[in-house]
Amino acid sequence: MSQDLTLDGLAVPLRVLRLLAVDFGHLPAPDVDVSPLYPDRLQLRFHDDLAHFETWRDALGITPDTVTYHEQSGATSVLKASVDYAGAVLELTGYGDLPALAPVGTAA
């Protein structure tokens, strides 16, 4: 149970975060999430810029065909991908604005 987990129980994703900071410190900074609910997972999230998601995806060698896409609330594009990295599940999520649609009946 997560109530009994100590900080040592999060050593794997924290070690991966340390490796990423050393190997990819020049890449855009993500929001980072480590949780005792999923002690083998590290989440990196990128808001408002899908290019940052793509930069990390490419750096980690995640192939484009494994990325999933969906839309959230009709206004946000969401890209997701994951990879096993140094013993942890590394999840990338990117959020970006959907392009505004022209009103029906207007010329493009």
Side-chain angles (χ1 to χ4, degrees):
M1 289 193 117
S2 63
Q3 297 106 331
D4 298 331
L5 190 68
T6 64
L7 189 57
D8 283 340
L10 298 175
V12 172
L14 292 173
R15 182 180 67 235
V16 168
L17 182 58
R18 182 176 178 193
L19 290 171
L20 294 175
V22 170
D23 293 341
F24 302 109
H26 61 285
L27 295 182
D31 288 339
V32 176
D33 187 27
V34 175
S35 171
L37 297 175
Y38 303 99
D40 64 339
R41 181 171 72 186
L42 175 65
Q43 293 179 300
L44 305 180
R45 289 184 307 278
F46 305 90
H47 296 273
D48 300 324
D49 195 341
L50 295 176
H52 291 167
F53 171 92
E54 285 297 321
T55 298
W56 274 91
R57 182 202 55 75
D58 186 50
L60 293 168
I62 299 172
T63 59
D65 62 321
T66 63
V67 175
T68 62
Y69 171 83
H70 72 274
E71 294 174 4
Q72 179 176 300
S73 303
T76 304
S77 298
V78 182
L79 298 177
K80 290 189 174 195
S82 66
V83 65
D84 290 333
Y85 193 88
V89 176
L90 179 57
E91 293 184 354
L92 302 180
T93 305
Y95 301 95
D97 293 333
L98 285 172
L101 298 175
V104 175
T106 61

